[in-house]
Every structure is written in C-alpha cells, then in structure tokens.
Amino acid sequence: MSRRVTDRTDDQVHANVMENITSDHQSLPYVHKVGVPPKQKLFREFTATVKETFFADDPFRPFKDQPRSRKFLLVLQTLFPILEWGRDYSLSKFKGDLIAGLTIASLCIPQDIGYAKLANLDPQYGLYSSFVPPLVYAFMGSSRDIAIGPVAVVSLLLGTLLQDEIDSTKNPIDYRRLAFTATFFAGITQVTLGFFRLGFLIDFLSHAAIVGFMAGAAITIALQQLKVWTTVGSEWNWQTIVIGLSFLAFLLICKYIGKKNKKYFWVSAIAPLISVILSTFFVFITHAENHGVQIVRKITKGVNPSSVNEIFFSGEYLGKGFKIGVVAGMIALTEAIAIGRTFAAMKDYQLDGNKEMVALGTMNIVGSMTSCYVATGSFSRSAVNFMAGCNTAVSNIVMSCVVLLTLELITPLFKYTPNAILASIIISAVIGLIDIEAVALIWKIDKLDFVACMGALIGVVFSSVEIGLLLAVSISFAKILLQVTRPRTAILGKLPRTNTVYRNILQYPEATEVPGALIVRVDSAIYFSNSNYIKERILRWLTDEEEKLKENSLPRIQYLIVEMSPVTNIDTSGIHALEDLYKSLQKREVQLFLANPGPVVADKLHASNFVEMLGEDNIFLTVSDAVLTCSSKMQQAEP
C-alpha cells in the first residue's frame, strides 16, 4: 500500500513529516540560483544546430591543418576506403578473404538465380547483380563483413511494384528497362542521403516495423514458391513435389547443423549449390522435364552487357521508375545499414553510415548501367562471410570473380536445373527472416511497437508489400505523435532516509508527498503540440490532490513545484501555457515554483519575460531547494 501523505488522517504524522523535511535541509547554507547561459548570436546558434544535426561526427576534422597534397589523399581515402586499409593488407588476411569469398559465392549463385525470378527477370540478371555491385562496394564501402548482392525482400518488392506498371510476360523489354531505371534512381536516392548526411531519415522505419515487414515478406515469398514446386499449370505434379520437399528438407537440416555448431557453418553455405548440382544431374539423366517438371532451360552466357541506353531518362516511365526506385532504395539501404552495424558491433569497429550510403548508391548507379537490378547487403551471405573468417571487403571481390567465371563458363550447365530446387533454396533462405523471438520481445516491451510490427506483417501478407510498408510507417508515426502530444507526467515524493531525493510515487510507493506542496515532473519538451495538454494535466493533478486532502481534513496545497530537468526545450506555445498555468494558480492562491530548467529552457524563460512575471526567486536549482523554501514559508506563516 502506498505511504502517501494524502492517504493519512493522522495530524501527528503530518506534523512529523513536516518536521523531518525542515530538519533535512538545515544543513543547507543557502539556496542555489539557476544559471542562465550567455546569449548566443543567431547565426552562431543556427550553425551550431546544423553542425550537431548533420555533422556531429565532425567529418572535416582530419583535413584541418593539412597540406594540400595530404588533403587530396585524405579525400581519396574518404571516397575509397580500400586505399587506407589496403596499405596494411597481407597474405594472411587474403587467406581468410579467399575462403570467405569462395564460400559466399557457392551460396550466392543458386540464390541469385532464384531471386531474379522473384523480380520477374531472367536468371542471368541475378548473377549480373552479384558481379558488378560487389566490386564497386569493395572499393568504396567501409564494412569488412557485409556481402553484396540481390536479396529476397528487395527482389519481391521490386517485382511487385514493377509488375503493377508493366506486365513482365507481355512486355518483357520495357519491364526490364523499367527495372534498370528503378535501380538507377534507387542509387541516386542512396547517394543523395549519404552526401547530404540525411541517413537519419531511414530511422523512421522502426525496428518493430522492419521485423514485421521482413516476416510478412518471408511468408509471402514462401507461399509464392510453394506454387512453383507443387503445380504445373492447374495440375498437381508429384515429381515436382518430391524434388521440392526432399531438397527443402536437406537444406533445412544443413541449416540446422550450421546453426547448432558454428564450426560447420560451411555445411549450410554449400548446401544450396550441392542441391542445384544433384537436382540438375537427376533431371538430366531422367529427363524429368518431359514429365511436367519445370526447368530453367536457358541462362544467357557472358559478362554483363551495357544497359545505359535502356534506362528511361524521359517519357511516361521516368516518373514511375523514380517512385519505385526511391522505395526500393530506402528498403535496401535500411537492410544494408542494419546488417553492417550488426557485424561492426560484433568486431568492434566503427561504421560510417554516410559513407555506406554513398557506396551502396554508387554501386547501384553503376549496376543500373551494367544490366543489374537493386543490390544490397544480404544477411544470410554476410553471416556466412563473417563465420568464414573474412577480414576485409576483398571477400566480395573473390565472390565477384567466381560469379564472373560462372557467367563465362558454367551457365549452360544450369539448363536442366529444376525451378523447384530454386524455390526450395529461396524458402530455406527466407525462413530466417521470420524472427519469432524478436516479435515476442517486442510484445513484452512495447504494445504499440507490436501493433506496428503486426500491421506491417498483415499488410504485406494480405494486401501488398507497399501497403505493408505504408501501414508500418503510419503506425510508427502515430506512435510518435501520441508520445509527443500526450507526454508522461508524474507526481514526485521524497524517498525515506534521504535528504534530497524525490522520485515518482508510482514507481516508489514508499515515497512521501510534501505537506502543502505538490511536486510534478514533466517528462518531455513543451511544444505547441502538447503545451495545452501539459497545463491541463497539471491542473487536474492539482484538483485531484486537493480533493483527497479535503476528504482527509489535511491542509490545502499552497505550492506547486514543476520539476523541469527532463524538459529539453520549450517554444512560444509552451511559454504561453506556463503563463496560463501561473494565472490559474494565482486564482487558486497556489504559488508556482520551477525546479532545474535546462540552459535552453532557462534562456527562453528569460527572453520571454516569464521570469519577471513569476519572480526570479521562484526558480530553483533542485526540487529539494524548492521544498526547503516551501517549508520555510509555511513555517513562517504558522501562528
């Protein structure tokens, strides 16, 4: 049961609490005054705000006091980090990168062929996208562990958005051109965000929304692939079902082995390639394609052809390509940054998010001109890359070289690869995107986050990818607006056996309220969006407390102390709300005290002349100083 003063009826207890509060402060020689920072010039204040917002890491610091030749070298190293870490590259590092590169290549080749089908493109375009973009990233990226290439979610998103504009079966040429156009603008979007240091915009996609979106996309992809290996036309085909189920079971078992014992990570990494080889050989010797088993049939041999002339730089598809590219670019960027930060934290090195955006954007711009579609960081391949012992981005170069050899020499061998095995590889890959533990944790921590998560999942599964994204972002924004417009407030009480510690009485039931005073803490900046609510909420606290005191025949509240240390900023509407609060309290014969306003708030209170209205003696450094003054005044007022 709460030990709050307002719940007691014993006048002696009330007197004892009053006496304890007074004695607790007898050691204080004087009450400290709140300091006011010196007034800054408008231009200096503006530049400081801009610098903190966009250049908090001070990217220009290495260039200070450097000769021109050194500055030029530093600029090159900034654009191409390989020039910096490449100086210390050694044979021992190459061994790790070689093994990692070969391992992720064995995983990416079958995945790329399948992911291209998700994007409604011919298989070779998936391989193209794992050749050029990783090479560009290796020179410009700052992550040591991220593996670049097409990914399931972005492939599905791109395929869905493109198909809404152009039918890939009826007009494959314009569909492909629109894909390259979208990839070009995805890269432009990413470079722009990085160059202008606007990476914070991707943070509006919350973790909960991403978890839900990924899970919804994984379910959608899996259901799409089930159609591939369970039916041919409108009839069931038992050979396709056997191939799909048996190899899916094999892939899942290998994934379980690799997850259970980190030493055997390579088992799950090479399982897709082994599955392709075995299933292709099986179809070749049995001619299962003559019995209803769908096969790849043809993958164009050769290195990436130029696609510069295929990008729509004018016409009706320019705007459509731009819109699709912005959405795909943002999603691809979010996934890559999240993956890069995860592995950077595991290896304890810094990842420059803005450099990453420029690198990812540049590789997609170049990719759009070399017959690639949107590429980004792949979590499954990056995890394999990490566990295989990669040391630098050279592992991406090794992977690209293997893909090049595949394009030049091996693609004809994929002719008899059954579509069912590609579907099984995709299903086994996307299952990892359904993170049940993360969803359960989100439910435990924040119910509104869980709503955003489920909104994204349900939107993707039952409507479309873009609707799922829209729902997730809308719910996340609604949560932000709710928190901004309805911030938390709390009544504070003094903790027993302490002199100056005042805490939320709901969190600490043993805390006792101060007789004759109400201490309220505002846990938010005070802006136009919440100022009226905060004023009205404080007055409701005051009314409720006065009613309780009256019922228990205790003295009324004479002082309202507002703890303002969590109030990081205040605007004009907030000042007006404080003025209205002050006037309302005067009518009730309650005196207003403010405790511990921060430098920004204190400066604005003085600039608005609110301090003159309230009285400088009514603004205190701490809550305990304000309580000491209250106690002294109440004692002096007693007969």
Side-chain angles (χ1 to χ4, degrees):
M1 182 180 295
S2 173
R3 295 172 53 193
R4 295 167 58 187
V5 172
T6 52
D7 295 333
R8 304 177 182 178
T9 58
D10 189 350
D11 291 339
Q12 184 60 45
V13 173
H14 174 265
N16 289 339
V17 172
M18 187 76 174
E19 183 179 350
N20 290 336
I21 291 173
T22 305
S23 61
D24 284 341
H25 293 86
Q26 285 179 348
S27 59
L28 290 174
Y30 62 92
V31 174
H32 293 278
K33 297 295 182 181
V34 174
V36 181
K39 186 69 176 177
Q40 291 188 1
K41 293 183 179 179
L42 179 61
F43 180 75
R44 182 175 296 178
E45 185 177 359
F46 175 76
T47 54
T49 302
V50 170
K51 181 180 179 181
E52 184 62 27
T53 303
F54 299 102
F55 305 100
D57 55 348
D58 195 4
F60 304 108
R61 182 171 53 187
F63 300 93
K64 293 177 181 176
D65 302 323
Q66 296 289 345
R68 287 188 177 180
S69 58
R70 177 63 178 168
K71 287 181 180 179
F72 179 72
L73 179 61
L74 289 173
V75 169
L76 288 179
Q77 289 179 355
T78 300
L79 293 174
F80 304 101
I82 192 172
L83 297 177
E84 183 177 0
W85 56 259
R87 291 178 298 178
D88 301 323
Y89 199 69
S90 62
L91 183 61
S92 60
K93 289 183 179 180
F94 178 71
K95 290 179 181 178
D97 290 334
L98 178 63
I99 295 172
L102 294 173
T103 307
I104 58 176
S106 68
L107 176 62
C108 85
I109 291 170
Q111 282 187 345
D112 290 345
I113 296 172
Y115 291 161
K117 288 185 173 294
L118 283 179
N120 300 316
L121 293 167
D122 292 335
Q124 65 268 18
Y125 292 103
L127 295 173
Y128 292 160
S129 302
S130 276
F131 170 48
V132 173
L135 285 177
V136 176
Y137 181 84
F139 284 86
M140 298 189 68
S142 57
S143 173
R144 306 171 193 170
D145 305 281
I146 196 170
I148 297 297
V151 296
V153 174
V154 177
S155 299
L156 173 67
L157 175 66
L158 197 64
T160 302
L161 297 178
L162 292 173
Q163 191 70 25
D164 290 342
E165 302 296 339
I166 301 175
D167 192 320
S168 60
T169 55
K170 294 181 180 179
N171 192 356
I173 295 177
D174 281 346
Y175 181 91
R176 186 177 65 243
R177 293 185 64 188
L178 187 59
F180 298 151
T181 305
T183 303
F184 175 80
F185 285 111
I188 292 294
T189 300
Q190 293 167 340
V191 169
T192 302
L193 291 175
F195 182 80
F196 291 104
R197 309 180 73 81
L198 300 174
F200 61 86
L201 293 177
I202 65 174
D203 293 333
F204 282 101
L205 272 175
S206 66
H207 172 70
I210 293 172
V211 169
F213 174 73
M214 291 294 186
I219 293 171
T220 303
I221 292 168
L223 292 175
Q224 285 183 352
Q225 300 312 301
L226 287 176
K227 297 178 184 178
V228 173
W229 53 263
T230 55
T231 61
V232 176
S234 59
E235 298 180 1
W236 293 86
N237 183 270
W238 69 267
Q239 294 98 328
T240 303
I241 295 174
V242 169
I243 293 172
L245 284 176
S246 58
F247 280 102
L248 178 59
F250 170 71
L251 289 166
L252 293 177
I253 291 171
C254 291
K255 178 173 281 192
Y256 176 79
I257 293 172
K259 190 175 182 180
K260 197 73 176 177
N261 193 329
K262 301 299 182 183
K263 293 181 180 179
Y264 299 113
F265 70 90
W266 54 270
V267 174
S268 60
I270 66 171
L273 188 59
I274 292 175
S275 300
V276 168
I277 294 172
L278 292 177
S279 61
T280 302
F281 180 72
F282 172 78
V283 171
F284 176 74
I285 63 174
T286 61
H287 290 286
E289 76 276 10
N290 297 328
H291 301 282
V293 176
Q294 294 180 321
I295 59 176
V296 173
R297 295 196 179 277
K298 182 182 179 182
I299 300 180
T300 303
K301 183 180 178 181
V303 74
N304 303 36
S306 172
S307 56
V308 175
N309 296 328
E310 295 192 46
I311 298 174
F312 289 112
F313 289 113
S314 61
E316 61 175 316
Y317 291 126
L318 173 62
K320 295 175 180 178
F322 174 78
K323 289 187 290 186
I324 295 172
V326 170
V327 175
M330 292 288 282
I331 296 300
L333 195 60
T334 302
E335 186 170 355
I337 295 297
I339 292 168
R341 286 174 178 169
T342 299
F343 290 105
M346 293 172 69
K347 284 191 175 179
D348 193 26
Y349 66 89
Q350 294 296 319
L351 188 72
D352 190 323
N354 293 297
K355 286 183 182 179
E356 283 295 284
M357 295 175 202
V358 173
L360 292 165
T362 303
M363 78 179 190
N364 278 315
I365 292 173
V366 175
S368 69
M369 300 177 181
T370 52
S371 299
C372 304
Y373 73 93
V374 180
T376 187
S378 165
F379 186 81
S380 59
R381 275 176 252 176
S382 298
V384 170
N385 197 31
F386 174 82
M387 290 185 287
C390 72
N391 295 302
T392 66
V394 170
S395 60
N396 276 290
I397 298 177
V398 174
M399 179 189 71
S400 295
C401 293
V402 175
V403 172
L404 174 62
L405 293 175
T406 302
L407 285 167
E408 290 289 358
L409 304 174
I410 308 175
T411 48
L413 300 179
F414 290 109
K415 177 181 178 180
Y416 291 97
T417 299
N419 289 337
I421 190 61
L422 299 177
S424 298
I425 291 170
I426 292 173
I427 292 173
S428 67
V430 299
I431 283 177
L433 298 178
I434 305 174
D435 196 339
I436 302 297
E437 292 181 2
V439 174
L441 184 62
I442 290 169
W443 167 259
K444 289 180 182 179
I445 294 175
D446 193 315
K447 300 302 184 287
L448 282 176
D449 266 355
F450 182 78
V451 172
C453 179
M454 289 297 101
L457 189 152
I458 293 170
V460 172
V461 173
F462 292 101
S463 183
S464 63
V465 175
E466 56 268 38
I467 293 298
L469 273 176
L470 182 61
L471 275 174
V473 173
S474 299
I475 295 172
S476 296
F477 267 106
K479 177 188 173 184
I480 293 172
L481 289 175
L482 182 63
Q483 292 174 339
V484 169
T485 58
R486 294 295 182 267
R488 295 185 181 275
T489 56
I491 293 180
L492 306 185
K494 178 177 172 294
L495 291 182
R497 298 179 297 279
T498 65
N499 292 334
T500 60
V501 180
Y502 293 83
R503 293 293 183 268
N504 188 340
I505 59 175
L506 294 180
Q507 185 178 2
Y508 299 92
E510 69 274 18
T512 54
E513 293 183 44
V514 177
L518 177 66
I519 308 172
V520 177
R521 187 183 68 212
V522 179
D523 294 331
S524 168
I526 304 177
Y527 291 128
F528 66 93
S529 58
N530 60 24
S531 57
N532 283 329
Y533 169 80
I534 290 173
K535 179 197 69 176
E536 293 170 1
R537 187 70 186 94
I538 292 175
L539 291 175
R540 286 202 304 273
W541 279 125
L542 184 62
T543 301
D544 293 343
E545 290 298 312
E546 285 178 337
E547 289 177 357
K548 291 177 183 178
L549 291 171
K550 189 174 182 180
E551 289 174 3
N552 293 308
S553 301
L554 292 173
R556 71 177 186 86
I557 293 174
Q558 301 178 47
Y559 299 94
L560 174 68
I561 303 171
V562 181
E563 157 70 301
M564 300 192 71
S565 56
V567 181
T568 56
N569 207 338
I570 190 169
D571 65 2
T572 307
S573 298
I575 298 291
H576 285 309
L578 288 181
E579 292 174 352
D580 292 341
L581 176 64
Y582 172 76
K583 293 174 183 177
S584 297
L585 293 176
Q586 278 189 319
K587 295 177 182 178
R588 299 188 185 203
E589 297 182 351
V590 176
Q591 195 166 354
L592 176 62
F593 287 171
L594 302 182
N596 195 22
V600 175
V601 176
D603 179 55
K604 292 184 178 181
L605 292 177
H606 279 80
S608 63
N609 296 324
F610 178 75
V611 173
E612 295 180 7
M613 176 188 293
L614 180 65
E616 191 168 350
D617 292 337
N618 290 354
I619 301 179
F620 300 89
L621 183 63
T622 65
V623 171
S624 60
D625 287 346
V627 171
L628 174 61
T629 301
C630 292
S631 303
S632 300
K633 288 188 175 183
M634 284 188 286
Q635 279 188 335
Q636 292 173 6
E638 290 179 357

